Short mmCIF file of all heavy atoms in Angstrom, two decimals:
data_model
loop_
_atom_site.label_atom_id
_atom_site.label_comp_id
_atom_site.label_asym_id
_atom_site.label_seq_id
_atom_site.Cartn_x
_atom_site.Cartn_y
_atom_site.Cartn_z
N ILE A 1 0.85 -1.18 0.00
CA ILE A 1 0.00 0.00 0.00
C ILE A 1 0.89 1.24 0.00
O ILE A 1 1.73 1.41 0.90
CB ILE A 1 -0.91 0.02 1.24
CG1 ILE A 1 -1.83 -1.20 1.25
CG2 ILE A 1 -1.72 1.31 1.29
CD1 ILE A 1 -2.62 -1.38 2.54
N GLY A 2 0.71 2.10 -0.98
CA GLY A 2 1.51 3.33 -1.02
C GLY A 2 1.07 4.32 0.03
O GLY A 2 1.89 4.94 0.70
N GLU A 3 -0.25 4.49 0.19
CA GLU A 3 -0.81 5.40 1.19
C GLU A 3 -2.08 4.76 1.72
O GLU A 3 -2.96 4.38 0.96
CB GLU A 3 -1.13 6.75 0.57
CG GLU A 3 -1.83 7.72 1.51
CD GLU A 3 -2.34 8.96 0.78
OE1 GLU A 3 -3.46 8.93 0.22
OE2 GLU A 3 -1.61 9.96 0.77
N LEU A 4 -2.18 4.64 3.04
CA LEU A 4 -3.35 4.07 3.68
C LEU A 4 -4.10 5.16 4.42
O LEU A 4 -3.56 5.83 5.29
CB LEU A 4 -2.96 2.97 4.65
CG LEU A 4 -4.12 2.32 5.44
CD1 LEU A 4 -5.05 1.56 4.50
CD2 LEU A 4 -3.59 1.40 6.53
N VAL A 5 -5.37 5.36 4.04
CA VAL A 5 -6.27 6.27 4.76
C VAL A 5 -7.00 5.44 5.80
O VAL A 5 -7.77 4.55 5.47
CB VAL A 5 -7.27 6.93 3.80
CG1 VAL A 5 -8.30 7.73 4.58
CG2 VAL A 5 -6.53 7.82 2.79
N THR A 6 -6.76 5.74 7.08
CA THR A 6 -7.42 4.99 8.15
C THR A 6 -8.57 5.75 8.80
O THR A 6 -9.46 5.15 9.38
CB THR A 6 -6.41 4.63 9.27
OG1 THR A 6 -5.98 5.83 9.92
CG2 THR A 6 -5.21 3.87 8.71
N ASN A 7 -8.53 7.10 8.73
CA ASN A 7 -9.46 7.95 9.47
C ASN A 7 -9.35 7.75 10.98
O ASN A 7 -10.31 8.00 11.72
CB ASN A 7 -10.91 7.74 9.01
CG ASN A 7 -11.17 8.30 7.62
OD1 ASN A 7 -10.47 9.23 7.18
ND2 ASN A 7 -12.13 7.75 6.92
N VAL A 8 -8.18 7.31 11.41
CA VAL A 8 -7.91 7.14 12.84
C VAL A 8 -6.93 8.22 13.26
O VAL A 8 -5.83 8.34 12.69
CB VAL A 8 -7.32 5.75 13.14
CG1 VAL A 8 -6.95 5.63 14.61
CG2 VAL A 8 -8.31 4.66 12.75
N ALA A 9 -7.30 9.01 14.25
CA ALA A 9 -6.43 10.10 14.71
C ALA A 9 -5.21 9.55 15.41
O ALA A 9 -5.19 8.42 15.88
CB ALA A 9 -7.21 11.01 15.65
N GLY A 10 -4.17 10.37 15.46
CA GLY A 10 -2.99 10.03 16.24
C GLY A 10 -1.83 9.46 15.47
O GLY A 10 -0.84 9.01 16.06
N THR A 11 -1.92 9.47 14.13
CA THR A 11 -0.80 8.97 13.35
C THR A 11 0.26 10.04 13.10
O THR A 11 1.32 9.74 12.56
CB THR A 11 -1.28 8.44 11.99
OG1 THR A 11 -1.86 9.51 11.24
CG2 THR A 11 -2.30 7.33 12.16
N GLY A 12 -0.07 11.28 13.49
CA GLY A 12 0.92 12.34 13.37
C GLY A 12 1.03 12.95 11.99
O GLY A 12 1.95 13.73 11.72
N ASP A 13 0.10 12.63 11.09
CA ASP A 13 0.19 13.17 9.73
C ASP A 13 -0.41 14.56 9.62
O ASP A 13 -0.26 15.22 8.59
CB ASP A 13 -0.50 12.22 8.74
CG ASP A 13 -2.01 12.20 8.93
OD1 ASP A 13 -2.45 11.91 10.06
OD2 ASP A 13 -2.74 12.47 7.96
N GLY A 14 -1.11 15.03 10.66
CA GLY A 14 -1.66 16.38 10.66
C GLY A 14 -2.93 16.54 9.85
O GLY A 14 -3.45 17.65 9.75
N SER A 15 -3.47 15.48 9.28
CA SER A 15 -4.73 15.56 8.53
C SER A 15 -5.78 14.73 9.27
O SER A 15 -5.45 13.95 10.17
CB SER A 15 -4.54 15.03 7.11
OG SER A 15 -4.73 13.63 7.07
N PRO A 16 -7.05 14.87 8.87
CA PRO A 16 -8.08 14.05 9.52
C PRO A 16 -8.07 12.60 9.05
O PRO A 16 -8.85 11.79 9.56
CB PRO A 16 -9.38 14.74 9.11
CG PRO A 16 -9.06 15.39 7.80
CD PRO A 16 -7.63 15.82 7.90
N LEU A 17 -7.19 12.27 8.11
CA LEU A 17 -7.26 10.97 7.46
C LEU A 17 -6.46 9.88 8.14
O LEU A 17 -6.58 8.72 7.79
CB LEU A 17 -6.81 11.09 5.99
CG LEU A 17 -7.65 12.01 5.11
CD1 LEU A 17 -7.13 11.99 3.68
CD2 LEU A 17 -9.12 11.63 5.15
N GLY A 18 -5.61 10.24 9.10
CA GLY A 18 -4.81 9.21 9.77
C GLY A 18 -3.96 8.43 8.77
O GLY A 18 -4.00 7.19 8.74
N LEU A 19 -3.19 9.13 7.97
CA LEU A 19 -2.46 8.50 6.88
C LEU A 19 -1.29 7.66 7.39
O LEU A 19 -0.59 8.03 8.34
CB LEU A 19 -1.92 9.57 5.92
CG LEU A 19 -2.96 10.43 5.21
CD1 LEU A 19 -2.27 11.48 4.34
CD2 LEU A 19 -3.90 9.57 4.39
N ARG A 20 -1.09 6.53 6.73
CA ARG A 20 0.07 5.67 6.98
C ARG A 20 0.73 5.37 5.64
O ARG A 20 0.05 5.20 4.62
CB ARG A 20 -0.33 4.36 7.64
CG ARG A 20 -0.76 4.47 9.11
CD ARG A 20 -1.24 3.13 9.62
NE ARG A 20 -1.52 3.12 11.05
CZ ARG A 20 -0.66 2.74 11.98
NH1 ARG A 20 0.56 2.32 11.64
NH2 ARG A 20 -0.99 2.75 13.27
N ARG A 21 2.05 5.28 5.65
CA ARG A 21 2.81 4.93 4.45
C ARG A 21 3.36 3.52 4.60
O ARG A 21 3.61 3.05 5.71
CB ARG A 21 3.98 5.91 4.25
CG ARG A 21 3.59 7.37 4.34
CD ARG A 21 2.84 7.85 3.13
NE ARG A 21 2.42 9.24 3.27
CZ ARG A 21 1.70 9.90 2.40
NH1 ARG A 21 1.31 9.28 1.28
NH2 ARG A 21 1.35 11.15 2.61
N ASP A 22 3.54 2.85 3.46
CA ASP A 22 4.11 1.49 3.46
C ASP A 22 3.42 0.61 4.49
O ASP A 22 4.06 -0.08 5.28
CB ASP A 22 5.61 1.56 3.73
CG ASP A 22 6.34 2.38 2.67
OD1 ASP A 22 6.01 2.21 1.48
OD2 ASP A 22 7.21 3.17 3.04
N ALA A 23 2.10 0.62 4.45
CA ALA A 23 1.32 -0.08 5.46
C ALA A 23 0.71 -1.36 4.89
O ALA A 23 0.77 -1.64 3.69
CB ALA A 23 0.21 0.84 5.98
N ALA A 24 0.11 -2.12 5.78
CA ALA A 24 -0.62 -3.33 5.40
C ALA A 24 -1.84 -3.45 6.31
O ALA A 24 -1.87 -2.89 7.40
CB ALA A 24 0.26 -4.57 5.52
N VAL A 25 -2.84 -4.19 5.82
CA VAL A 25 -4.09 -4.41 6.56
C VAL A 25 -4.38 -5.91 6.53
O VAL A 25 -4.41 -6.53 5.47
CB VAL A 25 -5.27 -3.65 5.92
CG1 VAL A 25 -6.56 -3.95 6.69
CG2 VAL A 25 -5.00 -2.15 5.90
N LEU A 26 -4.60 -6.49 7.72
CA LEU A 26 -4.98 -7.90 7.83
C LEU A 26 -6.47 -7.98 8.10
O LEU A 26 -7.00 -7.29 8.98
CB LEU A 26 -4.21 -8.57 8.97
CG LEU A 26 -4.53 -10.07 9.17
CD1 LEU A 26 -3.99 -10.89 7.99
CD2 LEU A 26 -3.98 -10.58 10.49
N ILE A 27 -7.14 -8.84 7.33
CA ILE A 27 -8.57 -9.03 7.44
C ILE A 27 -8.85 -10.46 7.85
O ILE A 27 -8.29 -11.40 7.29
CB ILE A 27 -9.25 -8.73 6.09
CG1 ILE A 27 -9.04 -7.27 5.71
CG2 ILE A 27 -10.73 -9.08 6.12
CD1 ILE A 27 -9.41 -6.95 4.27
N GLU A 28 -9.73 -10.62 8.86
CA GLU A 28 -10.17 -11.94 9.29
C GLU A 28 -11.66 -11.90 9.55
O GLU A 28 -12.16 -11.00 10.24
CB GLU A 28 -9.43 -12.38 10.57
CG GLU A 28 -7.94 -12.60 10.37
CD GLU A 28 -7.24 -13.00 11.66
OE1 GLU A 28 -7.84 -12.78 12.75
OE2 GLU A 28 -6.10 -13.48 11.59
#
């Protein structure tokens, strides 16, 4: 994933989107 929009605050990206770089998501 190049850019992950989580909408979770506290990632330090300064936007409301809670952005993460080089991320992954596990689904169960």
Side-chain angles (χ1 to χ4, degrees):
I1 299 171
E3 175 189 85
L4 178 66
V5 172
T6 66
N7 289 334
V8 176
T11 62
D13 69 304
S15 87
L17 299 182
L19 298 178
R20 289 175 173 265
R21 311 286 177 183
D22 300 318
V25 178
L26 181 69
I27 296 167
E28 293 178 344

